[in-house]
Amino acid sequence: MALNEGSEPVSPSGQYLNSSVLSISILTVLESEVPINDAHAISLLNHVFLPINPRFSSVMVTNQKGDKQWKRVEVKLEDHVNVPIFPAGLSPTSYDEYLDDYMSKIAMDQFPQSKPLWEIHIFKYTTSNAAGNLILKLHHSLGDGYSLMGALLSCLERADNPSIPLTLPSRPRSEPKSENKSAFARALQTFSSVSNTLFDFGWSVLKSTLVEDDRTPIRSGDEGVEYRPITISTMTFSLDRIKHIKNKLGMTTNDVISGIIFLGTRLCMQEISNESSEAHSTALVLLNTRMISSYKSIKEMVEPNSEAPWGNRFGFLHVPIPKFKDPKSLDPLEFVREAHKIIKRKRSSLDVYLTGRLLEIMKNIRGPEAVARHIHRTLRNSSVTVTNVVGPIEKMALANHPVKGIYYMTIGVPQSLTVSIINYMGNLRVTAGIEKGFLEPQKFKSCMKNAFEMMLKAVDELPLRKTLI
């Protein structure tokens, strides 16, 4: 494989995510409404996918100074496309099992460092959800969810009218801060922000070094859990019904989603072990640190000093999963209120910024491998990672293949449970990556759905409760 002229330094985060202790990737699945025709796959990759970013045509190498760089190579596209063969004529439920096993296998497989860090798998058999599945496996060092979703959207088009761009949900702007606050109010706000920052940063350091979550039905805490087989399970919720909860409570969509996940997780833990309802469990909520509210074009992302740069620009928020105060008189809406309170407070602190500075200092003193070990401990010491990506409102298509559904999962994470969320065509797709043989996927899925229904019922009872007060 001949190396071409030119190279690009690997970002610090890219080095952390592709190191001797961490190798994290992203699986994205496009569910096709029609049988997949792979005849033009190579042409599409060559003319549409590869030009998106030079990293898709590069390998990670170490130069004589020990610095990692992206080095352009001649890409053999045939080596990146996989079309598995299974027995013909089986039922969709049988192919569901084949797909689950196949995805578990490719999730465990490590990328060879001798070729660009991405693969495409074309599952051409009809499952319960789709006539075919296109699976993209991309190493996280290529970019984060924002970058890779932007790249994916550049390959897709509106199914109803390809000439019109896909529409993404807009994020409401924050309310302008009042300039009429008294000196005392401003001083109090500053003191609160400083104290929150000191507490959150100190707690983050402790969680990344000395303090582990309890071992529970969602956290085995075992060494090497990232190398074990996983089961990928998905569930769909109506975005309109989530907005119904949001509007009744006067909170955000993310608050409601977080509340559902936290309540569903606690219900699952308690159903397996009553003692775990009081266990100390932490969720790592990924936060996009770009100061923007929508996707930019690929051209804009790769420009120097872009406000939405390509790469990995995210931080972790350590969010304690609320406990059941009194299981006999459980108010499911308290989980939304608690999620809102915790996340709002943590967003107002400078914990993410200070943690980023700490990693930078650690890299300069001890090198990127030390930072990778620190991030590995941060993940391993917590119970679950929650990520959220925005998808388009309209139905999209890839090469005249209408996309019925889309979901993704972060793999290679040293946790027994990871949760990812994406919205598409008015639905929210929640995906759980679960350590196989440790937690029953159907039980977790059932508890998540139960949490959602409990919240809907509680919200619909709110006017009655107000009347009775």
Side-chain angles (χ1 to χ4, degrees), residues 16 201-202 204-206 208-209 350-367 370-371 374 377-378:
Y16 309 152
F201 178 63
S204 294
V205 172
L206 285 174
S208 298
T209 52
L350 298 176
D351 173 34
V352 172
Y353 170 77
L354 291 180
T355 300
R357 293 291 296 162
L358 174 65
L359 297 185
E360 186 178 339
I361 293 169
M362 190 183 298
K363 176 183 75 71
N364 293 335
I365 296 175
R366 301 175 57 196
V371 181
H374 180 86
R377 283 195 301 271
T378 301

Side-chain angles (χ1 to χ4, degrees), residues 153 155-159 161-162 164 166 395-400:
L153 291 175
C155 300
L156 295 159
E157 57 193 15
R158 279 183 59 153
N161 190 341
I164 302 176
L166 289 161
K395 180 177 290 188
M396 53 190 180
L398 177 64
N400 297 320

Side-chain angles (χ1 to χ4, degrees), residues 144-251:
D144 57 12
Y146 177 91
S147 299
L148 298 178
M149 179 55 69
L152 179 60
L153 291 175
S154 70
C155 300
L156 295 159
E157 57 193 15
R158 279 183 59 153
D160 59 344
N161 190 341
S163 64
I164 302 176
L166 289 161
T167 304
L168 295 162
S170 59
R171 184 182 301 170
R173 295 182 179 274
S174 300
E175 292 295 324
K177 295 182 180 179
S178 173
E179 300 295 333
N180 299 322
K181 289 183 178 179
S182 67
F184 176 76
R186 289 196 297 269
L188 190 63
Q189 183 178 21
T190 301
F191 175 77
S192 176
S193 177
V194 170
S195 60
N196 286 342
T197 295
L198 292 175
F199 176 83
D200 290 340
F201 178 63
W203 181 241
S204 294
V205 172
L206 285 174
K207 285 297 297 176
S208 298
T209 52
L210 301 175
V211 180
E212 288 188 36
D213 277 3
D214 295 331
R215 293 193 178 219
T216 64
I218 65 165
R219 179 179 182 267
S220 68
D222 293 341
E223 290 282 353
V225 67
E226 64 267 38
Y227 302 115
R228 295 180 179 176
I230 64 170
T231 298
I232 297 176
S233 180
T234 74
M235 57 214 86
T236 303
F237 300 106
S238 165
L239 203 51
D240 284 341
R241 298 178 82 188
I242 288 174
K243 288 179 179 178
H244 171 65
I245 301 173
K246 176 202 79 167
N247 293 335
K248 277 288 192 75
L249 297 179
M251 297 182 185

